[in-house]
């Protein structure tokens, strides 16, 4: 899959294509419907399918300080888009200048002059251009003028719930990772680099990988979770952990109130390994919420709870893997 950073990467001899546009944070099941329509149209025309996303999130540029919690990194977004059949992943830097373009200018300068779009596939609630003045009706009008077709895909959901990035963020924030999984089509992932913590887990017999996520990452509510743990990227075996393979993990999110902690952390106890993971880029895929964060009166009480967390983690992950 080709990856472009802005329109400068578009080849001079680029032909026609089908373009789907959106932030695509999460690449959830609703996005999969949209991408599926775009790839189908592209295959029928015999042209590439291009996914256009934006960085940073448009909200941050339009209203500074309002960047929503991020469900996926750009790299993860590209990987998921490729799995769904996208041929080109185009990241448009979202700048004040781009935000100020009129709908007509965006359609002409971006979709026609640079991308040579034959079809544009968007969600039914799509808006674009200065002050979000453009909508599907406006895009259709401009398509008739400039020579591209427009397909609007209805919002997707189940059980009277529309799947959207906003809905999934609310699930994650509430610790309801099961509902987030249903909407995403896979567990919610938090990536990060393993950094050194206070070493207390190792002293207690439960050495943890302290995962430092990137800025704006959507972190589940405080509590203990059953999760899959993966060291990302290729490379040699890291201790007893093979990069790319997933491992069972009991994950604590919170401030460690038993020890009067103040810093909110994501700490993964990777089962059945004592590998040194410091400095590794890892992923934590949250499968199920086990219990809320608690303050224990004694170390023995904490150790008893942690042993129970591990037992429940094994049972939950065994069931989810069937």
């Amino acid at each position: 899959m080709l990856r472009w950073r802005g329109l400068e990467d578009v080849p001079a001899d680029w032909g026609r294509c089908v373009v789907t546009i959106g932030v695509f944070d999460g690449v959830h099941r609703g996005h999969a419907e949209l991408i599926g329509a775009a790839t189908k149209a592209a295959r029928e025309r015999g042209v590439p399918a291009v996914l256009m996303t934006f960085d940073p999130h448009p909200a941050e540029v339009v209203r500074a300080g309002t960047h929503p919690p991020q469900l996926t990194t750009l790299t993860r977004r590209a990987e998921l888009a490729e799995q769904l059949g996208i041929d080109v992943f185009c990241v448009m830097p979202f700048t004040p200048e781009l935000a100020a373009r009129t709908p007509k200018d965006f359609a002409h300068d971006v979709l026609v002059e640079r991308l040579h779009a034959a079809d544009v596939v968007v969600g039914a609630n799509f808006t674009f251009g200065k002050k979000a003045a453009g909508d599907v009706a406006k895009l259709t009008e401009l398509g008739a003028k400039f020579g591209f077709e427009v397909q609007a895909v209805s919002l997707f959901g189940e059980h009277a719930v529309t799947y959207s990035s906003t809905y999934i963020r609310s699930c994650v924030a509430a610790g309801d990772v099961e509902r987030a999984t249903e909407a995403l089509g896979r567990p919610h992932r938090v990536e990060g680099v393993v950094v050194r913590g206070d070493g207390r887990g190792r002293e207690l017999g439960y050495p943890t990988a302290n995962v430092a996520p990137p800025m704006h990452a959507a972190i589940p509510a405080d509590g203990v979770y059953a999760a899959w743990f993966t060291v990302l990227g290729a490379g040699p075996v890291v201790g007893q952990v093979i990069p790319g393979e997933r491992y069972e993990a009991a994950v604590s999110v919170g401030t460690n109130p038993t020890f009067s902690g103040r810093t909110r952390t994501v700490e993964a106890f990777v089962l059945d390994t004592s590998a040194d993971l410091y400095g590794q880029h890892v992923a934590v895929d949250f499968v199920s919420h086990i219990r809320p964060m608690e303050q224990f009166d004694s170390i023995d009480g904490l150790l008893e709870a942690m042993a129970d967390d591990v037992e429940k983690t094994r049972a939950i992950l065994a069931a989810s893997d069937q």
Side-chain angles (χ1 to χ4, degrees):
M1 182 180 70
L2 295 174
R3 301 192 187 191
W4 296 340
R5 182 72 185 185
L7 299 177
E8 293 75 14
D9 288 345
V10 182
D13 59 350
W14 178 252
R16 304 209 75 181
C17 65
V18 173
V19 184
T20 183
I21 311 169
V23 177
F24 292 101
D25 187 20
V27 193
H28 52 68
R29 292 173 64 191
H31 291 148
E33 293 284 313
L34 190 62
I35 293 170
T39 56
K40 181 175 183 292
R43 302 302 175 256
E44 289 173 350
R45 285 186 176 270
V47 299
V50 178
L51 183 150
M52 179 184 290
T53 187
F54 304 96
D55 181 55
H57 194 286
E60 180 65 21
V61 175
V62 176
R63 296 177 299 279
T66 63
H67 196 303
Q70 191 172 50
L71 297 171
T72 48
T73 64
L74 281 174
T75 299
R76 176 66 168 161
R77 221 175 295 176
E79 292 170 352
L80 294 168
E82 184 173 25
Q83 291 170 16
L84 291 170
I86 289 296
D87 301 301
V88 181
F89 186 80
C90 178
V91 180
M92 286 285 289
F94 199 87
T95 62
E97 292 74 24
L98 182 63
R101 285 179 184 261
T102 66
K104 180 182 177 181
D105 286 345
F106 179 85
H108 179 268
D109 299 347
V110 177
L111 299 179
V112 178
E113 288 295 306
R114 300 307 300 271
L115 293 179
H116 307 157
D119 287 84
V120 179
V121 182
V122 295
N125 62 344
F126 177 70
T127 59
F128 68 109
K130 185 177 181 180
K131 296 184 179 180
D135 56 12
V136 171
K138 184 63 176 179
L139 187 64
T140 302
E141 175 190 320
L142 293 168
K145 180 177 181 178
F146 294 134
F148 60 82
E149 300 289 330
V150 174
Q151 180 179 352
V153 177
S154 298
L155 302 181
F156 176 78
E158 294 177 333
H159 317 303
V161 173
T162 299
Y163 294 149
S164 68
S165 298
T166 300
Y167 168 74
I168 296 167
R169 290 187 194 105
S170 69
C171 292
V172 171
D176 194 346
V177 295
E178 293 87 351
R179 287 189 184 275
T181 294
E182 181 181 35
L184 285 165
R186 64 186 184 280
H188 171 60
R189 169 172 290 191
V190 172
E191 296 183 21
V193 175
V194 178
V195 298
R196 295 193 179 274
D198 54 27
R200 190 174 290 115
R202 187 171 298 278
E203 294 173 2
L204 297 174
Y206 292 89
T208 58
N210 193 339
V211 181
M215 185 181 296
H216 304 306
I219 308 299
D222 289 3
V224 177
Y225 299 84
W228 295 108
F229 182 95
T230 308
V231 173
L232 299 175
V237 174
V238 182
Q240 302 166 2
V241 175
I242 300 172
E245 291 196 9
R246 65 181 190 176
Y247 295 84
E248 297 177 338
V251 180
S252 170
V253 177
T255 59
N256 293 319
T258 300
F259 297 99
S260 301
R262 294 184 178 181
T263 303
R264 193 163 186 256
T265 60
V266 178
E267 297 184 62
F269 172 55
V270 185
L271 277 55
D272 306 317
T273 180
S274 58
D276 184 349
L277 296 167
Y278 292 123
Q280 295 294 325
H281 182 205
V282 303
V284 178
D285 293 314
F286 289 83
V287 175
S288 183
H289 180 265
I290 294 176
R291 63 174 174 84
M293 185 59 63
E294 300 177 52
Q295 181 173 349
F296 295 91
D297 295 330
S298 67
I299 299 300
D300 287 342
L302 172 61
L303 291 173
E304 184 178 340
M306 292 171 73
D308 186 57
D309 294 339
V310 169
E311 184 178 338
K312 288 178 178 176
T313 293
R314 292 190 191 278
I316 290 168
L317 296 181
S320 71
D321 207 25
Q322 293 178 354

